[in-house]
Amino acid sequence: MSAPPRSDDALDQRWQAWAEQRGPAAGLHMDNAAAGRSSAEVLAAVSDHAQLEARVGSYVAEELAAPVIGAGRAALASLMGVPTDGLAFVESATAALAVLLRCWPLRAGDTIAVAPSDWGPALEGFAARGLRISELAIVPDGQIDLDQLERRLTTAPPAVVHLTQVASHRSLVQPVAQAATLCRAAGVPLWVDAAQALGHVDTALGADAVYAPGRKWLAGPRGVGVLAVGEAWWRRLNLTVPAMMPAEWPPVRLLESHDAHVAGRVGLATAVRQYLGTGPAQVWQRLQQVGQETRKVLGGLPGWQVAGGGAPSAITGLRPVAGQDVPAVRRRLLDEHAIVTTAAVTARAPREMTETLLRVSPHVDCSAADLDRLYAALADG
Ligand SMILES: Cc1ncc(COP(=O)(O)O)c(C=O)c1O
C-alpha cells in the first residue's frame, strides 16, 4: 500500500467547535453532499417542538414557534438573495422545482437552457413539463461560457436559464453572479438549483428563483427545503388563492405545503442560526480549502483519478481507472472502514457523466488525518 501524503496541520479551533456541536460520528462522514450531520442543538430543537406539539396542540405549538421560524425564514431569504416574503418552505429541492414548474408563467414548448453538468432529475422535470432543453456552451472545465451566454441571450433567448450552481458529482461551481447580471440585462429569468450550494458558497447572487434542501451543507433536518423567488415575479406566478387564506398573505407563501414538518422548520431555523454564528464567508472559504486538500491527497491515489478540474467546491468525484466497481467500493468503505461516501451514478448529470464516480464530500471539520484514513482505506483494495 502506498503511503498517503502527510500533513500534520491541527484542525482550527473554529472547526473543532463545529465538530463538537455535533458530537462524535460513528465513522468518517464524507457524505455531506447527501446530508450533513445535524448539531445536537438542531436535534433538540426538532424533538422539543415535537413534544410541545403533543403537550399544547400542534397549531398552538406552531404559533409559539412563529418567532423562531420567522427568524429562520428571514435569514434563509437573505442567504438566497430575496426579501423575506419571497421565501417558501417546502420539503426538498425536488419539491421546490415541482412547485416552480407549476407556478411559473411558462408555455409547453418553451426552451430552458442548461449546462451539461445540470442535475439529471431536473432535466426529467423540464421534459415532463413540456419544455425544450437546450445546452449552453461551456469552457473546458464545465463552467458555462459567459461570452456565449451573452450572445445567446440576444440571438436566441430561452424562456429560462437554469443552473445547478454547485455540481453534485464533482468539483464544479457555475458563475451564477455573472450569469444573473447577463440574464437580467436580457430580461430572461435565471433559476438556480442551490441544492449543493446553500451553506457551501454564496447563494445571494441575483437569480430570479433559487431552491435547495436544508439537510446538506447547512446540516438541517431531513424533509425541509426552501424555494426563494425574486420580488419581480411574485405577481406573475400562476397561483390559486384559497378563500381561507388572509387576503394580504404573501404570494410566495402560497407555494408552501399546506401541512408541514413544522418541527423540521424549527430545526432548520436553528441550523441557520448556528451557521450565521460560525460565519458564512469563513465556512465557504474553509469548504473550498477542504475540497482542494481532498483533491491534493486523493490525486496521488493509485487506481483513481480526480474527475474534472472545475472551480473548487468541497465535492470531489473520483474516477476508477483500474476497473473498480464503484458501488462495491462504496460498500466496502462503509462496512470495513466506517467511511460514508456516495456512488454517484451517471443519471445525476447525464449530459456530462459517462461513468459512476465515487463521491467524497467532507465538511469543515475534515482533518488531514481524516483524508489520510480515506486514502489508506481506498488504497487497501
Ligand atoms: C444538484 C442537486 N439538485 C437537486 C437535488 C435533489 O435534492 P432533494 O433530494 O432535496 O430533492 C440534489 C440532491 O442530491 C442535488 O445534488
Side-chain angles (χ1 to χ4, degrees):
M1 187 184 89
S2 50
R6 289 216 63 88
S7 158
D8 293 325
D9 291 349
L11 196 59
D12 189 289
Q13 269 187 348
R14 181 196 302 262
W15 311 124
Q16 238 161 21
W18 187 93
E20 279 157 17
Q21 282 177 343
R22 267 134 259 271
L28 198 51
H29 189 76
M30 295 272 182
D31 206 21
N32 292 278
R37 294 201 308 121
S38 288
S39 71
E41 202 178 327
V42 167
L43 298 176
V46 174
S47 143
D48 288 353
H49 186 82
Q51 290 178 41
L52 187 66
E53 285 182 341
R55 246 191 350 266
V56 302
S58 293
Y59 289 81
V60 176
E62 188 170 357
E63 280 170 33
L64 293 172
V68 172
I69 295 176
R73 184 188 293 284
L76 283 158
S78 147
L79 287 170
M80 298 169 91
V82 299
T84 301
D85 280 346
L87 190 108
F89 284 110
V90 291
E91 293 81 11
S92 63
T94 305
L97 182 58
V99 166
L100 203 51
L101 284 167
R102 235 184 5 253
C103 73
W104 205 267
L106 286 167
R107 287 163 310 184
D110 275 349
T111 299
I112 186 157
V114 304
S117 58
D118 214 11
W119 174 245
L123 302 175
E124 291 165 23
F126 302 151
R129 174 71 175 79
L131 301 177
R132 283 193 322 114
I133 298 168
S134 153
E135 251 178 48
L136 294 167
I138 51 170
V139 295
D141 73 359
Q143 282 193 326
I144 54 164
D145 182 324
L146 290 164
D147 293 334
Q148 295 274 6
L149 173 64
E150 189 170 16
R151 265 195 291 282
R152 172 73 196 278
L153 289 169
T154 45
T155 56
V160 176
V161 171
H162 180 266
L163 292 178
T164 295
Q165 186 173 358
V166 173
S168 139
H169 58 291
R170 70 175 177 102
S171 181
L172 175 61
V173 184
Q174 294 294 349
V176 165
Q178 295 91 324
T181 304
L182 295 175
C183 286
R184 177 132 314 161
V188 172
L190 173 65
W191 294 359
V192 172
D193 172 341
Q196 297 294 354
L198 184 62
H200 186 168
V201 295
D202 191 358
T203 46
L205 299 173
D208 297 281
V210 185
Y211 60 93
R215 72 178 185 279
K216 295 179 188 284
W217 299 95
L218 286 178
R222 290 193 68 174
V224 188
V226 278
L227 168 61
V229 179
E231 191 164 2
W233 291 93
W234 295 355
R235 304 275 158 206
R236 294 157 77 180
L237 303 175
N238 297 320
L239 299 168
T240 30
V241 187
M244 273 170 68
M245 294 310 260
E248 72 284 3
W249 201 245
V252 176
R253 292 256 208 118
L254 293 169
L255 304 176
E256 294 194 336
S257 37
H258 167 66
D259 191 29
H261 178 35
V262 175
R265 292 181 183 174
V266 173
L268 179 56
T270 307
V272 171
R273 182 170 48 68
Q274 288 191 306
Y275 171 68
L276 295 177
T278 305
Q282 283 81 1
V283 171
W284 306 336
Q285 191 187 26
R286 171 64 185 158
L287 286 173
Q288 205 178 89
Q289 183 191 24
V290 163
Q292 279 160 338
E293 282 170 9
T294 304
R295 289 183 285 282
K296 192 163 113 203
V297 170
L298 300 180
L301 187 63
W304 296 91
Q305 219 172 51
V306 171
S313 77
I315 298 175
T316 297
L318 289 177
R319 170 172 295 132
V321 291
Q324 303 95 317
D325 172 353
V326 173
V329 173
R330 181 240 164 214
R331 189 80 249 164
R332 183 177 64 75
L333 288 175
L334 187 61
D335 293 348
E336 297 176 17
H337 300 274
I339 300 177
V340 191
T341 58
T342 287
V345 297
T346 55
R348 283 175 178 269
R351 287 173 177 255
E352 177 184 278
M353 292 179 77
T354 54
E355 65 198 315
T356 300
L357 300 175
L358 184 70
R359 183 181 68 184
V360 177
S361 54
H363 216 303
V364 291
D365 58 338
C366 176
S367 67
D370 293 341
L371 291 176
D372 289 350
R373 183 170 152 196
L374 174 62
Y375 181 104
L378 278 169
D380 175 28

